[in-house]
Amino acid sequence: MNETFNTKGTARAAVPSPLIESNRVEGTAVFDPSGKHIGSIKRLVIEKMSGRVVYTVASFGGFLGLGGNDYTIPWNKLTYDVSLGGYQTDITESQLKGSPPFSQDPGWDYADREHERALNDYYDAPYYWR
Amino acid sequence: MNETFNTKGTARAAVPSPLIESNRVEGTAVFDPSGKHIGSIKRLVIEKMSGRVVYTVASFGGFLGLGGNDYTIPWNKLTYDVSLGGYQTDITESQLKGSPPFSQDPGWDYADREHERALNDYYDAPYYWR
C-alpha cells in the first residue's frame, strides 16, 4: 500500500512519503478503531482560500451494509495511520446512518453554512471557519 | 465559472462557495498578476497527516510556450481570487523554465526531502514542515 502512495512507476527506495497527490487519495482505505477496513475515501472537500481539507466524502457501502451511500464527514474525524496505510475514524455505523441527509447528497450545496453547522454539530467537530 | 464550483447538477442560489471538492479542482485556472490566464491546476499535493495542501501540480503548456510541462509549485505561491474564479500567482515564465527539473517529473518522489528543500528554496517559499 505504501508503494502506491510513494511511487508513480519509478523504482526508488520505498520510504513512506508524508505527501499524497489528490488524484491518488480517492480509494484510500478507512478503518475503524480496531483496524477493520470499513470504507474508502472518494474525494476531499477543500477550503479554497486556505487550501485546508475540511471534509472528506467517503463511501461505506459494502462494508456496513449502508447501501453504497457516500457520506460527507469532517476531516478531523479521520486520522492517518502510517502502519495501516489509511485513515482511522471513530465514527460508528449508527452515527453514519443518522447523519444529516445532505451529507449523503451528491448535490449538496457547500455554500450553505447552516448545513455545515448541522453536520459539524452532529459529529461534535469544531467549525473550521471563525 | 462560479456555478461550476458551487453546484453539482442542482439549481440552488449561486452564492460563491468557499469550498471545492478535490475532483473539481483539476482544471481550475491560474492567472498572472495582471489577471491573464496562464495555466491550470492539474492536481494537489496534500500532506497526509494534516490534510494541508502543500504543493500544486499545474500545467502551463500552451500559455507560456513551455511545451505542456507540468510544474510542481508551492501552494502558497497561489492565491485564490474569487472575482477571477481561480488562482493568481506571481511566478514568472522564466522562473518556471528554470525550476528544478524534478518538479516537472511525473515520477517525482515526494519522500525526498532534499528535493523538496530545493524546490521551496527556489521559489523562496517557507518549508511547510518543521
Side-chain angles (χ1 to χ4, degrees):
Chain A
M1 198 68 174
N2 276 332
E3 289 73 21
T4 309
F5 292 154
N6 297 332
T7 66
K8 298 188 65 180
T10 57
R12 304 196 195 191
V15 179
S17 172
L19 304 180
I20 189 167
E21 297 191 341
S22 54
N23 60 333
R24 298 177 74 86
V25 174
E26 293 184 9
T28 299
V30 178
F31 299 90
D32 75 5
S34 75
K36 185 183 164 201
H37 185 192
I38 56 168
S40 61
I41 291 180
K42 293 195 72 171
R43 51 192 181 275
L44 303 172
V45 183
I46 297 159
E47 192 182 34
K48 281 182 281 193
M49 289 291 198
S50 67
R52 269 192 314 150
V53 177
V54 294
Y55 302 116
T56 181
V57 178
S59 170
F60 294 92
F63 296 101
L64 299 178
L66 290 169
N69 279 337
D70 297 341
Y71 293 83
T72 298
I73 55 181
W75 172 255
N76 65 8
K77 300 302 285 184
L78 297 169
T79 306
Y80 190 80
D81 186 294
V82 174
S83 63
L84 287 170
Y87 295 88
Q88 209 158 23
T89 186
D90 62 0
I91 292 177
T92 65
E93 178 177 0
S94 62
Q95 270 186 302
L96 285 170
K97 284 182 172 167
S99 66
F102 63 86
S103 77
Q104 307 158 42
D105 175 7
W108 180 29
D109 181 0
Y110 286 107
D112 190 330
R113 189 43 56 85
E114 286 311 308
H115 279 177
E116 290 199 63
R117 226 180 280 275
L119 180 65
N120 285 276
D121 287 349
Y122 180 79
Y123 284 118
D124 199 22
Y127 303 145
Y128 64 87
W129 63 91
R130 321 283 150 247
Chain B
M1 199 63 172
N2 275 335
E3 287 73 21
T4 310
F5 292 153
N6 297 334
T7 68
K8 299 188 65 182
T10 57
R12 304 194 193 190
V15 179
S17 172
L19 304 180
I20 189 167
E21 296 191 341
S22 53
N23 60 333
R24 298 177 75 86
V25 174
E26 292 185 9
T28 300
V30 179
F31 299 90
D32 76 4
S34 75
K36 184 183 164 201
H37 184 191
I38 57 168
S40 61
I41 291 180
K42 293 195 74 172
R43 53 191 179 274
L44 303 172
V45 184
I46 297 159
E47 193 183 31
K48 281 181 281 193
M49 289 291 199
S50 67
R52 268 192 313 150
V53 176
V54 294
Y55 301 115
T56 182
V57 178
S59 169
F60 294 93
F63 295 100
L64 299 178
L66 290 170
N69 280 337
D70 298 340
Y71 293 84
T72 298
I73 54 181
W75 172 255
N76 65 8
K77 300 302 285 184
L78 296 169
T79 305
Y80 191 80
D81 187 295
V82 174
S83 62
L84 287 170
Y87 295 88
Q88 208 157 23
T89 187
D90 62 1
I91 292 177
T92 65
E93 178 176 0
S94 62
Q95 269 187 304
L96 285 171
K97 284 183 173 168
S99 67
F102 65 88
S103 78
Q104 306 158 43
D105 174 6
W108 181 31
D109 181 0
Y110 287 108
D112 190 330
R113 190 42 58 82
E114 285 312 306
H115 279 177
E116 291 199 62
R117 228 179 277 276
L119 180 66
N120 285 277
D121 287 349
Y122 181 79
Y123 285 119
D124 198 23
Y127 303 144
Y128 64 87
W129 63 90
R130 322 283 149 248

